Amino acid sequence: MADVLVPAEITQEVTQILSNLVLGDNLIRSSAEKAVNDRLEQTPDLYLLAIAQFATSADTELMRSFSLVLLRRLLFRPLSSQRLALYDQLSAPVIATLERILLHSLLHEPAPVVRHKTVDTVTDLSNYAMKRGRPWHALQSQSFAMADSPDVHTREAAFRVFAGCPNLVMDLQMDAILSMLQRGLQDQQSTEVRLASLRASAAFLTALDLTQQAQALSLMYPMLNTLPSLPHAKLPPFLAVITELAGSNPHLFRPHIPALLAFLPSLLLPVVDAGPTPTVARPNPAGGASTFAFPPVTNGNGSGEAEKEAVGEEDEVRKGALEFMTTLSEAKPNMLRGVEGWVNIVVRGCLEGMGEISEDDTEAWLDADPAEDPTDDTYPHTYEHSLDRIACALGGHAVLPPAFTFIPAMLASHDWRLRHAGLMAIAAIAEGTSKVMQQELGKIIDLVTPMFKDPHPRVRYAACQCIGQLCTDLEEVVQERYHEQIFSALIPALEAPEARVHAHAAAALINFCEGVERETLLPYLDDIVERLLKLLNPAASDPARQPKRYVQEQVITTLAMVADASEATFAKHYSAIMPLLLNVMQNANGPEYRKLRVKAMECAGLIAIAVGRDVFRPDSRTLVELLMRIQNSPTDPNDTMLSHFLIATWAKLCQALGEEFEPYLPVVMPPLLRVAGSKADISIYDDDQEPEDRDGWESIDMDGRHVGVKTSALEDKCQAFETLLIHASTLNARFGPYVLQVLDLALPALRFYIHEGVQEACAMLIPVLISCGKNSGTLTNQMVIATLSQVINCIGNETDSSFLASLYKCFYDTVLVLGGPSTLAPEFRAGIIEATKRQLNAFAERRKARASRPAHELREEREDLALIQEMEDFAIEDMAKVLRAVDAPAELNIAISSLRQLALHLSDWEGEDEGGS
């Protein structure tokens, strides 16, 4: 690249700067970073070209790779003094020179690892230029030529380029593109070339519209044919590529399902010999012929590390095949429900995998705190999670028959691991199959409850998990019909000798209590509380026995739920429990007791509500003083739970004490207002930056940018508004002094779009605040004007049907508090009518657009569309209610009727859906 005119002194300077950037010395590296920024501010053209040139001339692979990574980051980063990216400030000759240097590196770089960095830089540059209407024709022609190179690494690089920027070939003849990709997919010399071509083919198909895809369907055959000939160790990355394509374009796989069914079972179902190892297919190999006979397969001969490595490779392949089948099932369930064998194979593969727990882990599992369980890393979570996903995607009619072909025999197996897997499988499929499962629920309960007497502790633990999950996923049905069988198994489990088991039995009780009627629970209340108290305070009967802390945390949480469910009847146990909780709050001060303390706070608050203020009053002052002491203690930055539980406990005390809570508002309100008024904590990442993986943060795409949002802070903000709603609705007029402050926070938060929970809480809070203000005499005309103006404005611009219904309810309830529609000022009546006209037009446009879509699309998306229409119908109902109240013109009521008639008749297709859950 001798034609690049970079002065020698700049080349030398850049060489030194880049060398310093990779040093471990922070001072030298920081100085080098400053030097780069300074030079780019002054003469970006020369320094970028110098870095690019160094990427082709540096002596070591490390420095050439580093230069390419740095170049890629710098090109698309705005300078500190300007908003434009560096690339947009370069002259056309400089860009052309830069492109020539990179094309030279792409073609001539000898080291594959460096050439991969060149590909990354080249594809980013091409995509960026394409967005600006500047296609890189030289890259297109060179990459096409490279795809036919006799050199393997050159061919691989070409297909990597096409994978990274599929738009590069979109203007070419379809036959030429397909021919080039097919040659790569059938490359006889290199697996890497075939993989790169597979990625390029998937990217190309994804970039096409449906009409263009129809012309390229022939590409799917060579793409899928890359799989069968591969050695198993090479399969996972190939499976990952087709899995991603299955998620985004599942329809492409429809013609290939028979071929996939002929190939995938050999990957998914594990190999077992005819010896005594139990499997789902042969749960009792020593006890005669099994009901289910899997094909006998080879014996694994080998030893030591080589055997472990082979087992690890096979496991990765199985997981890859399972992920593909699961993803395709989720993406296109209607396509696969009726395919003979598909569901059976994937369910069976999940069940096999779930039974593969290490036999040697039991002692470590028994000794471990559930939050720090070392055996969790080897637990077969992937298979369990996939079974849950398959059940949710395909539904009960499809999944329950194959699942219960195997589960009864698993529960009867002599191997505890299969008994454990059978129970966990029932728990995993309960959510997705709940509607159909109800029809056979009695039989399932009869299968599960005997397992509480299993000799193995992990099986009894799984029985607790299974019952708890059934109580959640079939809430109320299980509790109402089968409470006697469940309690006869679950209550004795609270006395299990193993801490892991009795703690999980206590956890399952929470699930039961969340959906139970008070009258159902009461006959069992004394037995439950007696056993929970023994677990919480075993020293009362056995001074030598010390409980594990995680057991105490779980028991306190369960007591709280039992109290909440049993309400006033819990008062008989109040005197035995409340002193223990107050003692925990008083004395559990070390960092290891953080969770125990906040759980005690939560439990005390719920018990206070359950038993009522008369029973609670003698202890109320003590509890308030303890909460004040905790709140005023120095903040521990590592304690992420305390603030949340403090706010929640104060709210519970307010509900328990009612108007007697008013004197504590000056203590409670300042931190609550501070959290409610907090700003969203957001990080915006550059295009080339990977979002950081931080606890309490989530990465979202917003307007094409990666945005990191501190979700933990958003949840706190939402909780603060929900708590303000509790205080305001409980105290009403006594909350008057805080109405203005809270209203000033709640009205803008109606537009807090990054957290719908905040918006919903504020929509409920506003009418309550108006009521507090009116009843306390603190409501002003300015507050009324600001409130109605903001709510009407939000109604006119809201695009979310669900929240729009909440806004209409907010408006209606506010107007009622103010004295009814007759008191509404003419400008606000006109405003709400005008805002509703806009919404009616928007709804009509959406429904007309939906009705014009092809029938097959509507059929496939029926469930999602039904939910959307249901949300719209709620909003329309609330619109109509407001229009009637304000005596709107008759034509708007006619528009409402017309809008209802535009709804899709989705129920017409219900009979065609075989997957009901």
Side-chain angles (χ1 to χ4, degrees), residues 808-861:
Y808 272 106
K809 186 175 188 312
C810 174
F811 178 84
Y812 184 82
D813 290 348
T814 300
V815 170
L816 288 184
V817 170
L818 291 170
S822 62
T823 65
L824 194 63
E827 64 267 25
F828 293 126
R829 178 181 178 276
I832 192 64
I833 289 172
E834 188 58 38
T836 303
K837 283 181 183 176
R838 288 206 298 276
Q839 286 294 348
L840 288 170
N841 288 332
F843 270 51
E845 291 297 323
R846 288 202 290 272
R847 290 196 161 186
K848 286 175 184 174
R850 218 173 281 146
S852 68
R853 292 175 60 187
H856 70 90
E857 287 185 16
L858 298 176
R859 186 179 294 109
E860 287 171 359
E861 297 176 29

Side-chain angles (χ1 to χ4, degrees), residues 121-245:
T121 306
V122 160
T123 53
D124 278 4
L125 185 59
S126 176
N127 290 330
Y128 200 86
M130 189 77 75
K131 289 177 185 175
R132 281 148 182 74
R134 191 182 181 280
W136 190 353
H137 296 298
L139 174 63
Q140 182 190 68
S141 57
Q142 178 172 309
S143 299
F144 248 85
M146 289 170 64
D148 287 324
S149 168
D151 178 66
V152 163
H153 299 304
T154 302
R155 295 199 300 276
E156 182 196 358
F159 289 113
R160 280 176 172 265
V161 169
F162 293 132
C165 45
N167 286 331
L168 205 60
V169 298
M170 298 299 281
D171 61 337
L172 300 177
Q173 288 289 325
M174 182 67 75
D175 288 346
I177 303 167
L178 297 182
S179 176
M180 180 264 297
L181 291 171
Q182 186 165 338
R183 289 196 300 276
L185 292 166
Q186 295 170 344
D187 195 287
Q188 296 299 306
Q189 287 182 275
S190 169
T191 304
E192 284 70 27
V193 172
R194 297 201 295 277
L195 178 58
S197 183
L198 183 65
R199 287 179 174 139
S201 302
F204 176 64
L205 288 172
T206 302
L208 299 176
D209 60 33
L210 287 174
T211 305
Q212 294 168 321
Q213 277 185 354
Q215 302 171 41
L217 291 178
S218 61
L219 190 58
M220 287 294 294
Y221 291 94
M223 287 174 69
L224 293 175
N225 279 338
T226 59
L227 302 176
S229 61
L230 287 169
H232 275 201
K234 301 281 188 180
L235 268 168
F238 284 77
L239 289 168
V241 176
I242 66 164
T243 297
E244 187 174 347
L245 184 64

Side-chain angles (χ1 to χ4, degrees), residues 692-820:
E692 296 176 62
D693 187 10
R694 292 184 281 178
D695 285 343
W697 286 71
E698 279 185 17
S699 176
I700 59 173
D701 286 325
M702 189 180 291
D703 298 330
R705 303 291 298 274
H706 287 307
V707 178
V709 181
K710 190 175 182 181
T711 49
S712 56
L714 298 185
E715 294 300 330
D716 290 343
K717 187 182 181 78
C718 181
Q719 183 205 21
F721 277 113
E722 289 170 346
T723 304
L724 287 167
L725 175 60
I726 290 171
H727 290 317
S729 57
T730 303
L731 297 170
N732 203 271
R734 296 172 186 271
F735 195 75
Y738 299 96
V739 167
L740 178 58
Q741 280 178 277
V742 178
L743 200 58
D744 284 345
L745 294 173
L747 289 174
L750 290 173
R751 295 179 180 274
F752 196 76
Y753 299 118
I754 58 176
H755 197 287
E756 61 185 28
V758 171
Q759 293 178 285
E760 291 286 355
C762 291
M764 290 187 283
L765 175 59
I766 285 165
V768 176
L769 290 173
I770 298 300
S771 174
C772 295
K774 183 179 178 183
N775 293 333
S776 63
T778 57
L779 187 67
T780 65
N781 195 42
Q782 288 88 341
M783 290 184 200
V784 173
I785 292 170
T787 299
L788 293 177
S789 299
Q790 175 73 333
V791 174
I792 290 171
N793 195 273
C794 289
I795 285 173
N797 295 295
E798 185 54 53
T799 56
D800 183 314
S801 301
S802 176
F803 185 52
L804 183 63
S806 302
L807 285 170
Y808 272 106
K809 186 175 188 312
C810 174
F811 178 84
Y812 184 82
D813 290 348
T814 300
V815 170
L816 288 184
V817 170
L818 291 170

